[in-house]
Amino acid sequence: MGAVRILLPVPRTLARAHVGLGGPLLGAALLRCLTPGLFLVWQRPPERLLAWSEEAVAVYRTLHEGPRRQSGDGLALALVLYANALYAAGRHEEALAASDESRAVVGARMSPTQSAYALRVRTLLLTETGRLDEALTVARQCVAAYRVTEPRGRERSLGSYADALRIQAWVLDRMGRVHESVNLYMECAELLRALPMWRVLLRAGRVKVRMLCEVTGGLRALGRFEEAVSAGNDALWWSTGMNPSYYPDLVWLHAQLFTDLAWCYAATGDLRRARDSADQAVARCRTLVEQDAVTGRPRLVLALESRTALYGRSPVPSAGPLPSAAVPPQVEQPDPQQLADLQELSELCARLAVTDPVVYEPRLAQALDELAFCHGLLGADRQAVEAADRSVALLRRAADRDPRGYEPELARTLANLVIRRSRAEMREDAVAPAREALAITRRLAETDESLPPFLTVQRLELLAWSLRRTGDDAQALACYAEAETLQRELMAAEPEHSEGRVTAVLTGYADTLRATADAHLAAGRFDDAAAALRRLLALDGRTDLPEVHAACLGAFADAHDMAANEIRGAWQAATTDPFPSIDDSGGAG
C-alpha cells in the first residue's frame, strides 16, 4: 500500500488529462489505500481516510455517470468506505446518507465480503443515530453474511465473523439487553480464543481488545465483578504493545475500561486497585478532552464519578439518632482531592446540562449533593445549603420529566436538605422539605414495592426532629407515635428489621415527651403535663430501653421538683392509677 500511496500523483495526473485508463487506475489505487493488506497496520488519520474516500467517490461517480455507466461496483464500495470515514470523523448523519446512496447504486455487484462490510458499517451508523431496532436487524444480517464468507487477500481488512458478533453484542448492550449482549461477547471470545496466536496478533488484535473492553462493562452491569476484572486485565494485556499514536481508539477504550475497573475493584473490596484505576481513567479522559472536548467531557464525567465514589462516604442520613446542633458530629475532614473532583464534576455537568439536561441535570444534582456534604464537614454550612438547594431544584425538574425514575432521589435529597438547613440554624426553613420528603415517600410506598419499607419511618423521624427543633412538640409527638407504630409493624412482619432504628425512634419519642411535660409544667398546664407523663410512662412500660427509662425518670423527677402537689392532683383527676413515686435511688415505683 505504501508504494501505491507514493505513486498516487501518477494516476491523478492521468485522470485529469482524461487519459482512458486514468480514472479507473486512480479509483483502484484509492480503494487499495483504503483497504490495507494487514489488519494490524495502524489506523490512518481520519482526515486522510476522509480525503481518500471522498476522492474515490468523486472518481467513481464520474465514471458511473458517464455514457457507458461503468464502475457501479467501485462506486458502491467507495461510498461504503466514505461512510466509514465519515463515521470515524463523527459525522453520522452524512455517513448514513452515503450508506443509503451505496445501496441505491444501479447495477452494483459487490463481493460477499464487501456486502458484509457494507452491513457492518450500516449497523454502526444506525446505532449511533438512535435507530436501534433497525440496527439490530442489520447486525443480524451482517453476522449471517460473514458466517458464510471467508475474506481473502486485502478484503481481510473489511471485517470478520468475530467482529460482526462483537458489533451485534454492542448493539444489544445499547438497547439495554445486557444478558444477551454478554452471551454474544462470550461467543465472540470463544472464536478468538480458538485462533492461532499469530492470527490474533496480525489480524484480530484490535477486535479482541475492543471486545474485552466492552464485555468488561457488560459484566459490571450484571454485577459479575470478578469476571469483569478478569476480562479487563486481559484487555490491558492484549493492548500492551499497541501504541496510542497509531491506535487513537485505544485511549477512548482505556478510559472506559479503567472506569469500569474502578467500580468493579471497589465492589470486590480492593480499594487500592480501585483508586489506581480511577486515577488512570481520569488521566486518559483528560487526554481525550484535549483531543476533542465534545466527546471527551462526557467520558471525564464518568471517570470523575468513579473516583469521587471511592472516598468512603455517603450523603444519605443514617438510620440512627439524628445529629444534634449542640454537638457537631465527629467525622473526618474531606480529602482536598475529593473537594476538587466534586467541584470539577459539578462544573462539567453544568456545562453539559445546557445541551443535554435529561442526562446531566440528575448527575449535576448528585454531584452538588455530595459537594454539600463536603461543605458541611468543613463547617461551611451556608455553602452546603446553597449546593443542596441547587441539587433539589435540579431533581425537581428531573422528577417532572420522569417521576418514577427520580422521585425517590428527590425525596432523599430533600431529606439531606433538612439536615443542611438545620445545621445552618435555618430551623423554620427545614420543616417544609421534611414534610415534602415524607409526602413523596408515602406516595411511593403505596405504588413501588421495591422501595425499602423503613424509609417512611426514617422520614417521619426526620420530620419529628425538625419540628421539635422549631418548638412544635405536638406535631413532633404525632410523627414519633406513627413512626413507632410503623416500625413495630415492620418488625412483626419481618423480624430482621433493625432494632437500632426502633431504638432511635423511641429515644426521640421519649425525649420529646419529657420536653413536652416540662414545658406544660413551666406554663402551669398541669393537666397537659400529666397527660404527657402518662404517655411517657406507657412508652417506658412497653420497652426496656435504658434511654427511654432515663427520660421517664427524669420527667417524673422534674415534675416532683417543679410542682409535686399540682401534678399529683392532675394525675389523680385523670386516672385511678397511683402516681409513680421516686425512691432515694432515683427509681420510679
Side-chain angles (χ1 to χ4, degrees):
M1 190 277 289
V4 174
R5 178 171 58 84
I6 294 171
L7 295 173
L8 270 178
V10 176
R12 279 197 185 109
T13 302
L14 293 175
R16 290 188 187 119
H18 302 290
V19 176
L21 293 177
L25 278 175
L26 178 58
L30 288 167
L31 292 184
R32 190 176 180 86
C33 291
L34 289 164
T35 53
L38 288 177
F39 194 55
L40 181 65
V41 76
W42 57 81
Q43 293 173 268
R44 299 301 187 275
E47 300 80 8
R48 183 179 296 175
L49 289 176
L50 193 57
W52 284 343
S53 58
E54 197 168 11
E55 185 178 3
V57 168
V59 169
Y60 279 112
R61 183 174 280 127
T62 300
L63 293 172
H64 187 64
E65 292 175 354
R68 300 173 60 183
R69 308 284 297 179
Q70 60 181 343
S71 301
D73 300 350
L75 177 58
L77 179 57
L79 283 165
V80 171
L81 292 168
Y82 181 46
N84 184 62
L86 288 168
Y87 169 77
R91 295 159 59 180
H92 301 138
E93 294 293 344
E94 296 174 67
L96 193 57
S99 174
D100 290 338
E101 186 180 353
S102 170
R103 291 156 60 89
V105 174
V106 177
R109 289 179 297 178
M110 293 191 290
S111 71
T113 300
Q114 292 169 353
S115 299
Y117 180 71
L119 292 170
R120 176 190 185 277
V121 173
R122 188 166 183 82
T123 300
L124 298 174
L125 296 172
L126 289 169
T127 304
E128 293 293 356
T129 52
R131 295 159 61 177
L132 296 178
D133 291 331
E134 293 178 66
L136 183 58
T137 300
V138 178
R140 287 171 174 155
Q141 295 171 359
C142 177
V143 169
Y146 276 112
R147 185 184 289 120
V148 297
T149 184
E150 179 65 31
R152 298 184 181 279
R154 306 190 73 83
E155 287 189 343
R156 290 194 180 99
S157 65
L158 298 180
S160 64
Y161 178 46
D163 190 36
L165 280 175
R166 180 197 67 77
I167 291 173
Q168 185 181 348
W170 174 70
V171 174
L172 286 167
D173 182 72
R174 292 283 291 267
M175 297 176 76
R177 295 161 64 173
V178 184
H179 279 94
E180 297 172 71
S181 170
V182 168
N183 289 339
L184 267 181
Y185 278 127
M186 293 302 181
E187 185 178 345
C188 177
E190 288 299 321
L191 279 175
L192 293 171
R193 193 176 293 118
L195 294 178
M197 178 69 77
W198 68 268
R199 287 193 64 182
V200 175
L201 291 174
L202 286 177
R203 304 198 179 277
R206 278 188 288 169
V207 175
K208 189 169 184 99
V209 170
R210 186 177 285 272
M211 179 275 298
L212 288 168
C213 290
E214 290 170 358
V215 77
T216 299
L219 290 167
R220 172 199 154 196
L222 294 178
R224 294 158 61 177
F225 301 115
E226 292 184 355
E227 293 176 73
V229 166
S230 177
N233 286 328
D234 285 347
L236 292 175
W237 187 89
W238 280 99
S239 60
T240 299
M242 294 184 175
N243 190 330
S245 300
Y246 296 150
Y247 300 98
D249 287 353
L250 196 61
V251 179
W252 184 90
L253 288 171
H254 276 178
Q256 179 60 52
L257 177 64
F258 280 115
T259 301
D260 288 329
L261 283 175
W263 289 108
C264 292
Y265 277 127
T268 58
D270 193 341
L271 296 182
R272 183 185 63 80
R273 285 193 174 93
R275 174 60 62 84
D276 290 343
S277 297
D279 290 343
Q280 292 273 14
V282 170
R284 279 162 172 76
C285 287
R286 293 199 194 286
T287 301
L288 288 176
V289 171
E290 292 172 2
Q291 294 173 353
D292 183 356
V294 174
T295 58
R297 284 180 184 136
R299 283 284 153 209
L300 182 55
V301 166
L302 298 177
L304 286 170
E305 284 179 341
S306 72
R307 190 157 76 175
T308 57
L310 296 173
Y311 289 101
R313 68 124 207 100
S314 172
V316 182
S318 68
L322 291 164
S324 166
V327 183
Q330 298 299 311
V331 292
E332 295 181 359
Q333 295 292 300
D335 189 305
Q337 185 61 55
Q338 177 186 12
L339 196 59
D341 283 350
L342 287 171
Q343 288 171 336
E344 182 180 6
L345 181 58
S346 299
E347 292 169 3
L348 273 173
C349 289
R351 178 179 294 181
L352 294 169
V354 173
T355 55
D356 194 354
V358 174
V359 172
Y360 289 102
E361 281 191 350
R363 284 194 143 98
L364 175 57
Q366 176 67 23
L368 288 168
D369 188 44
E370 296 181 4
L371 192 59
F373 181 88
C374 289
H375 285 315
L377 294 183
L378 294 169
D381 293 324
R382 291 290 173 177
Q383 289 175 272
V385 169
E386 290 174 7
D389 278 332
R390 286 181 62 196
S391 178
V392 167
L394 289 162
L395 282 171
R396 282 193 203 285
R397 290 206 288 269
D400 287 342
R401 291 189 294 263
D402 180 8
R404 186 179 180 84
Y406 291 106
E407 278 195 336
E409 187 69 6
L410 174 59
R412 184 192 68 80
T413 311
L414 283 164
N416 289 350
L417 178 60
V418 174
I419 297 176
R420 310 285 178 244
R421 287 183 175 178
S422 295
R423 287 180 176 162
E425 298 302 321
M426 301 167 63
R427 299 183 180 184
E428 297 292 338
D429 294 332
V431 174
R435 291 189 188 281
E436 186 178 359
L438 176 59
I440 294 172
T441 305
R442 285 190 197 278
R443 186 170 66 250
L444 292 173
E446 295 174 356
T447 58
D448 187 356
E449 294 181 356
S450 66
L451 194 74
F454 64 81
L455 275 182
T456 303
V457 175
Q458 191 181 64
R459 302 285 153 75
L460 279 164
E461 183 191 1
L462 181 65
L463 177 57
W465 178 72
S466 58
L467 286 167
R468 184 181 171 191
R469 286 170 61 81
T470 63
D472 193 344
D473 288 344
Q475 290 195 55
L477 287 173
C479 291
Y480 278 126
E482 184 181 357
E484 181 195 3
T485 301
L486 287 176
Q487 185 62 45
R488 291 193 183 280
E489 289 175 358
L490 290 173
M491 292 181 67
E494 301 180 38
E496 68 273 12
H497 274 292
S498 172
E499 286 282 354
R501 189 165 292 111
V502 74
T503 299
V505 171
L506 294 178
T507 301
Y509 193 5
D511 290 343
T512 307
L513 282 169
R514 178 181 178 180
T516 302
D518 287 349
H520 287 318
L521 284 168
R525 297 189 294 270
F526 302 114
D527 291 340
D528 293 333
L533 289 171
R534 287 200 308 275
R535 292 176 66 182
L536 183 52
L537 186 63
L539 179 61
D540 186 34
R542 60 179 180 266
T543 183
D544 57 357
L545 292 176
E547 296 88 350
V548 173
H549 190 59
C552 185
L553 289 176
F556 277 95
D558 292 342
H560 185 273
D561 294 340
M562 295 172 68
N565 294 330
E566 291 85 349
I567 196 66
R568 188 181 296 273
W571 183 281
Q572 293 173 346
T575 180
T576 58
D577 296 334
F579 185 77
S581 62
I582 307 296
D583 59 29
D584 293 336
S585 63

